[in-house]
Amino acid sequence: MQNYPDPVIQQKQAALAKFLGIPQESLRESSGSLYTFKAFFHGNDEAYLVLTNNEATIAAGHAVQEKLWLISLETLFAYFDIDAYPADVLGKMKTREIRRVNDELKALIYNTSGMDALKDKMFAFGNRKNLLADYDQMEYYQDGYFIYRLY
């Protein structure tokens, strides 16, 4: 059975290649997905999401749920003007422990305001780019797609 390239993936790759000023062939599609969408790799140290407006909103909704621990720490540190970074926890806690904390926070939110209330507030303040562009918290636009650099 012959595999045919997905035209949507091809369009996204073309938009990203144009944005980066590189040949489309130098981009690789991820084998898995992030927030339900494929990512693209350029070299060994760059990864991007290329999404329509609707896809970006869906992906950001997934990101909210996966990053509750990070959002909570950032909010606490900002509220109390604490000079610390949530990412510092990554080297000190196991991924399993962070996931457990995130799941507990998710349960608290679902049993109070609900996740949609949190997502709506975050999106109303323009946090989509902060949720999706881990590298620079920027949202770029090229040929009908929003581009987010992951790393």
Side-chain angles (χ1 to χ4, degrees), residues 74-86:
E74 285 179 336
T75 304
L76 280 170
F77 292 164
Y79 184 82
F80 290 107
D81 196 25
I82 296 171
D83 189 26
Y85 300 95

Side-chain angles (χ1 to χ4, degrees), residues 30-77:
S30 64
S31 57
S33 62
L34 179 64
Y35 312 129
T36 72
F37 298 97
K38 295 285 188 177
F40 298 97
F41 300 105
H42 176 245
N44 294 325
D45 58 354
E46 293 179 29
Y48 298 86
L49 282 175
V50 181
L51 307 168
T52 64
N53 187 55
N54 187 49
E55 290 172 340
T57 300
I58 292 166
H62 288 283
V64 168
Q65 293 184 72
E66 291 183 29
K67 294 181 175 182
L68 288 173
W69 69 274
L70 180 67
I71 295 164
S72 298
L73 281 177
E74 285 179 336
T75 304
L76 280 170
F77 292 164

Side-chain angles (χ1 to χ4, degrees), residues 4-17 24-25 27-33 36-41 48-52 55 145:
Y4 294 99
D6 181 336
V8 173
I9 294 294
Q10 295 292 312
Q11 289 173 339
K12 288 180 176 186
Q13 277 183 321
L16 181 58
Q24 186 172 342
E25 300 77 38
L27 295 170
R28 295 181 326 277
E29 177 185 353
S30 64
S31 57
S33 62
T36 72
F37 298 97
K38 295 285 188 177
F40 298 97
F41 300 105
Y48 298 86
L49 282 175
V50 181
L51 307 168
T52 64
E55 290 172 340
Y145 294 101

Side-chain angles (χ1 to χ4, degrees), residues 7 19 31 37 54 61 64-65 67 75 93 98 101 103 109 115 125 151:
F19 172 75
S31 57
F37 298 97
N54 187 49
V64 168
Q65 293 184 72
K67 294 181 175 182
T75 304
M93 290 180 73
I98 293 171
V101 168
D103 288 343
I109 292 168
M115 194 60 68
F125 288 111
Y151 61 82

